Amino acid sequence: MTLQTTSPIFLGMPSFQKAAKDALRNTQQRRNLAHATSTIRAKRAAVVGEVDRWEELRVAGADAKDEVLHHLPHYLEQLEANLVANGATVHWARDADEANRIVLDLVRATGSDEVVKVKSMATQEIELNERLEEAGIHAWETDLAELIVQLGHDRPSHILVPAIHRNRAEIREIFRREMGGVGRPAPDDLTDEPARLAEAARAHLREKFLRARVAISGANFAIADTGTLVVVESEGNGRMCLTLPETLISVVGVEKVLPTFADLGTFLQLLPRSSTGERMNPYTSMWTGVREGDGPQDVHVVLLDNGRSHVLADDLGRQALRCIRCSACLNVCPVYERAGGHAYGSVYPGPIGAVLNPQLRGTGSDVDKSLPYASSLCGACFEACPVRIDIPSLLVHLRTQVVDEASGRSPEALSMKAAAWMFADHRRLEAAQRGATLGSRLLGDRTVRSLPGLGAWTQARDVPSPPPETFRQWWARTHGYDVEEAP
Amino acid sequence: MSAREEILGRLRAATTEVTTPVGHRGPAPVIGVPSPGAGETLELFAENVADYRASVTRCRPEEVGTVVAGLLDRAGARSVVVPDGLEASWVAAAREAGVELVPDSGADGALLTAAELDAVSAVVTAARVGIATTGTVVLDHEPDQGRRALTLVPDQHVCVVRADQVVHDVPDAVALLEPRRPLTWISGPSATSDIELDRVEGVHGPRTLDVVIVG
Ligand code: SF4
């Protein structure tokens, strides 16, 4: 059996504008996307319309997330204590590398050379599959769309439906060509009927589920006051992974915490209606550590920072961490619908990706510098967002940062030389953060009115001032070197 | 510094400007639709379960056995897994009709393996809660429902819900559930929207979901 190569890494992506121009020439993909997003927009509108108190739910969702984000250490410690009390082992990972190392060691300890995976944005973000494959461990994606992406040696282009850029005929071709190489082949008479395609996936993956000893998942929610993890899905592949293997490893971003179990009463209304446009998704699994005689007995949770603490430090930008990855903002975005997901150069495409990628990765690369401009600021994303993330304002906020860094005149740029020294020690770090906050307060009401080369937009509007910590400072802090010196 | 200390330190440093105390928000607000009456709630439940292509049958308590046997027969089930705590009368008629009953724990106490489960046609269980606004049944995997694998691997799931277990909206269900038990929320049979964002029933979980409402 050959090792599968999944999503090639997003390094060296051109700017969004360049990639989008190329994508626009792909008329097949554009047609696929327009069809899919218009279908989902109509479904979402119908089921959201059924809920009279939708706006109240949105506010409650935002409040619950803000409560957690304002006191994240408290809620994480509570979550950890409840997980441990219920038999789970908790690991902490500062960055992608550390998370991958932890997972790899856990898998190796089981002696297994394969894992089954539930779709998880966090593991895509840290490129776990690639790391496992390098170490000779097969990582089988079991979500239908992820399977299509993996078998097609492709990259995901949507949060919810990573293969949204593929139509049924293309999927049939991929299944017929690739399934046999990695397990049970597709039947010879496979048609492009969605039901037949789903059946082929069922047969192909069943043998893998039945023999799997290790599963890797993410979590949609992690409940602080009980230690419960929640996975929301449709196909049952999640249930297979969460139930049948002996070992379960869940990689969970630190922002996934909800304060109480009762908050699920809000989020299980917001998420399904916003994402697949259903009153409820077919399956939701909740588990609290280990249950004797039922499901995995060796349960691990890896709590992942990987830039989130940086996002948190910006008190405006922080709201992006409320995101529950429903993908509603993608489906309503006119820019996404035309450019497609690949142009965003990340596992997080669309409006939220345009915000999160530069927030998480810094604005060192062409694509991350250009992403805050991948929007017409029409506001549809904010309207659709179930946790009221003001994406247009965040994009404006990020544009300022890109501009300041490009000018090289910013106080942040000047202070970079000292950064390594400051961040080498946590007391100096705290002093520096206070200083940076002070600096941005001093900038106060400064606005940027006209910027050469950045088009007409800034001529029409003012741009607000930068956040307490800059991306470069963050980059230096988390990577140990200046963005300019990137190896 | 350990990763744990460092991450907690970074998060603390990132929120130094926050002045509100922990728990400032107060308890989670309960935002749902109150039941307009037990009859209406039950009607809505039946309607929404059926809307996602599960079958719905309503019957009196003494009819459950016959209804279950009929549903198994319709799907062509030859064998059925029986959770250890299932009401025996629910599967008595099916046994008489020739369906093989497979208990989860054998004489030696060993549970069925995944492969053994895969060879069984169907499973019959009770439920913990039904939710009307979404057409959802929630299992908490107590002995009358069995461990999670039982309702996952066989291709047909017959789920018996008592009328008095059906609540109106999602927050009502959340309030009733015990989070320390594993919980499975089921809304219709296994489905996917991954091909052109159109819902197709039948991927990895049971492709047939039959909900029986009793009372
Ligand atoms: S930003 Fe809002 S709309 Fe977009 S994926 Fe996140 S939660 Fe959904």
Side-chain angles (χ1 to χ4, degrees), chain B residues 41-87:
Chain B
T41 291
L42 216 52
E43 276 301 317
L44 183 63
F45 176 66
E47 198 180 295
N48 281 336
V49 170
D51 197 35
Y52 282 147
R53 313 236 182 107
S55 87
V56 181
T57 316
R58 297 181 66 167
C59 69
R60 293 192 304 276
E62 63 276 16
E63 294 167 333
V64 175
T66 329
V67 168
V68 168
L71 292 167
L72 292 172
D73 183 56
R74 184 170 75 186
R78 288 185 311 276
S79 56
V80 60
V81 192
V82 180
D84 294 343
L86 191 79
E87 168 64 47

Side-chain angles (χ1 to χ4, degrees), chain B residues 133-158:
Chain B
T133 53
T134 58
T136 303
V137 289
V138 186
L139 309 184
D140 66 0
H141 303 284
E142 288 298 283
D144 57 357
Q145 302 144 62
R147 62 197 169 97
R148 284 172 281 174
L150 300 195
T151 39
L152 174 61
V153 182
D155 208 8
Q156 181 186 14
H157 179 192
V158 180

Side-chain angles (χ1 to χ4, degrees), chain B residues 3-206:
Chain B
R4 179 182 189 279
E5 294 320 308
E6 193 171 333
I7 292 168
L8 290 172
R10 286 178 191 172
L11 297 173
R12 231 169 259 129
T15 45
T16 44
E17 97 295 349
V18 172
T19 51
T20 54
V22 172
H24 175 71
R25 174 201 61 156
V30 177
I31 303 166
V33 180
S35 171
E40 285 94 329
T41 291
L42 216 52
E43 276 301 317
L44 183 63
F45 176 66
E47 198 180 295
N48 281 336
V49 170
D51 197 35
Y52 282 147
R53 313 236 182 107
S55 87
V56 181
T57 316
R58 297 181 66 167
C59 69
R60 293 192 304 276
E62 63 276 16
E63 294 167 333
V64 175
T66 329
V67 168
V68 168
L71 292 167
L72 292 172
D73 183 56
R74 184 170 75 186
R78 288 185 311 276
S79 56
V80 60
V81 192
V82 180
D84 294 343
L86 191 79
E87 168 64 47
S89 68
W90 290 359
V91 285
R95 186 183 46 212
E96 277 159 35
V99 176
E100 184 198 351
L101 302 192
V102 184
D104 186 23
S105 8
D108 56 354
L111 302 175
L112 295 169
T113 65
E116 284 166 340
L117 268 176
D118 195 35
V120 182
S121 325
V123 61
V124 178
T125 71
R128 181 56 53 225
V129 181
I131 308 172
T133 53
T134 58
T136 303
V137 289
V138 186
L139 309 184
D140 66 0
H141 303 284
E142 288 298 283
D144 57 357
Q145 302 144 62
R147 62 197 169 97
R148 284 172 281 174
L150 300 195
T151 39
L152 174 61
V153 182
D155 208 8
Q156 181 186 14
H157 179 192
V158 180
C159 186
V160 183
V161 186
R162 289 197 324 266
D164 65 6
Q165 290 180 314
V166 178
V167 298
H168 199 77
D169 210 348
V170 176
D172 307 320
V174 171
L176 285 176
L177 293 167
E178 164 52 67
R180 269 162 244 276
R181 294 182 191 152
L183 300 168
T184 306
W185 295 46
I186 299 173
S187 310
S190 160
T192 181
S193 302
D194 282 354
I195 301 164
E196 301 176 7
L197 274 174
D198 245 342
R199 181 159 166 146
V200 183
E201 273 77 21
V203 199
H204 303 294

Side-chain angles (χ1 to χ4, degrees), chain A residues 79 89 110 121 125 141 161 163 166 228 272 274 332 458 473 482:
Chain A
L79 172 71
T89 308
T110 68
M121 300 304 297
E125 177 190 319
E141 289 292 351
V161 193
R166 298 289 197 185
T228 307
S274 301
V332 299
T458 54
Q473 286 171 330
D482 194 330

